[in-house]
Amino acid sequence: MQLYQHGTLANLVPGLFGGTLSIHDLLQHGDTGIGTLSGLDGELIILNGTVFQVNAKGDVRVVDGSEMVPFANVHHADFTPVGELTAVNDAALRERLAQQLISLNVFSSVKLTGTFANVTTRAVAGQKRPYPTLKATAEAQSVFTQAEMHGTIIGYYSPKLFAGVAAPGFHLHFLSDDQQFGGHLLHADVTQANLEIQAFEDLDLHLPLADPEFQALDLDSDQIVSDIELAEK
Ligand SMILES: [Zn+2]
């Protein structure tokens, strides 16, 4: 079981938003996942080999294979059904998910399919060069809320040890069943949903070695780690 990751969250903190891997190449490593497009343009939800983008207007569209990502996680779906969650509010959700993980010391994917209430998502607007910092994009985010939604929460748990590579804890995205609503998940109360989990023994961390900006970047900064925690909350 392998998790494939292109780029690191740390790359995004100082503003390395340029795409460095094509969607076509990304999909060679998995059919399920999350990410963002070049310029930090929206939020990606990858399900059954189809890549959906939610942009800052809230529009959802299918992404072309030639488009580029600066950051994404994918894996080949082989989930284990864990059971049903009923009436779990957002405040309790992450703790309930954590309790179901095999271990907090490995990367895992979680998938919830069902009915959710008070679903709040965000999507970042695409940025132009020269790119701002990740923190500065907070002002370029749109937030969307739906009272009730049938859909899928898909995302990953990352151990705290790997802060910088990823955001510690859960990083979850949402896509509605009608494929009209989604984004980076900020809030969802679970009405009823089936939970599936997949844990990974292997992390294939793919770095944009050919990118001159990445080559020259100073990533050895405590500020980068604390900014990740702020930006991905
Ligand atoms: Zn996200």
Side-chain angles (χ1 to χ4, degrees):
M1 297 278 190
Q2 176 176 288
L3 171 63
Y4 179 87
Q5 179 170 309
H6 176 67
T8 69
L9 265 181
N11 295 14
L12 302 180
V13 170
L16 258 71
F17 301 160
T20 41
L21 183 76
S22 73
I23 291 288
H24 175 268
D25 289 346
L26 178 69
L27 290 175
Q28 307 310 305
H29 303 278
D31 55 19
T32 301
I34 61 175
T36 185
L37 287 177
S38 196
L40 218 64
D41 188 6
E43 314 289 330
L44 301 182
I45 299 100
I46 304 163
L47 292 170
N48 300 317
T50 301
V51 183
F52 299 91
Q53 180 215 26
V54 181
N55 69 17
K57 291 178 182 164
D59 299 330
V60 184
R61 70 177 178 98
V62 174
V63 174
D64 191 77
S66 63
E67 295 182 60
M68 303 290 282
V69 295
F71 179 84
N73 282 114
V74 291
H75 71 281
H76 293 286
D78 188 11
F79 288 96
T80 301
V82 173
E84 197 177 84
L85 295 187
T86 307
V88 178
N89 68 20
D90 184 78
L93 178 60
R94 281 157 183 80
E95 199 180 316
R96 284 288 292 274
L97 294 177
Q99 286 166 0
Q100 298 294 335
L101 299 177
I102 294 169
S103 168
L104 296 178
N105 299 326
V106 297
F107 287 84
S108 297
S109 180
V110 296
K111 185 179 180 187
L112 281 155
T113 47
T115 308
F116 305 90
N118 307 310
V119 183
T120 305
T121 63
R122 69 139 201 250
V124 179
Q127 305 293 303
K128 301 251 183 300
R129 291 181 187 276
Y131 293 129
T133 64
L134 186 61
K135 222 188 216 171
T137 65
E139 288 141 36
Q141 292 173 9
S142 304
V143 175
F144 312 102
T145 301
Q146 289 284 343
E148 189 184 62
M149 274 276 115
H150 299 283
T152 300
I153 294 174
I154 182 72
Y156 296 91
Y157 168 83
S158 304
K160 195 171 182 184
L161 177 65
F162 297 94
V165 172
F170 291 96
H171 182 181
L172 306 173
H173 285 192
F174 183 87
L175 184 68
S176 64
D177 285 350
D178 65 6
Q179 301 171 356
Q180 300 292 309
F181 175 87
H184 175 103
L185 188 69
L186 296 176
H187 181 108
D189 301 320
V190 178
T191 307
Q192 182 280 326
N194 290 313
L195 172 62
E196 299 171 277
I197 290 179
Q198 186 172 349
F200 305 104
E201 292 169 309
D202 296 300
L203 172 65
D204 183 355
L205 180 60
H206 182 253
L207 298 172
L209 182 59
D211 179 24
E213 285 179 281
F214 174 70
Q215 290 169 11
L217 186 65
D218 176 11
L219 285 169
D220 295 333
S221 153
D222 292 339
Q223 189 62 45
I224 283 185
V225 175
S226 60
D227 282 359
I228 285 170
E229 287 172 348
L230 283 177
E232 289 300 317
K233 279 282 180 283

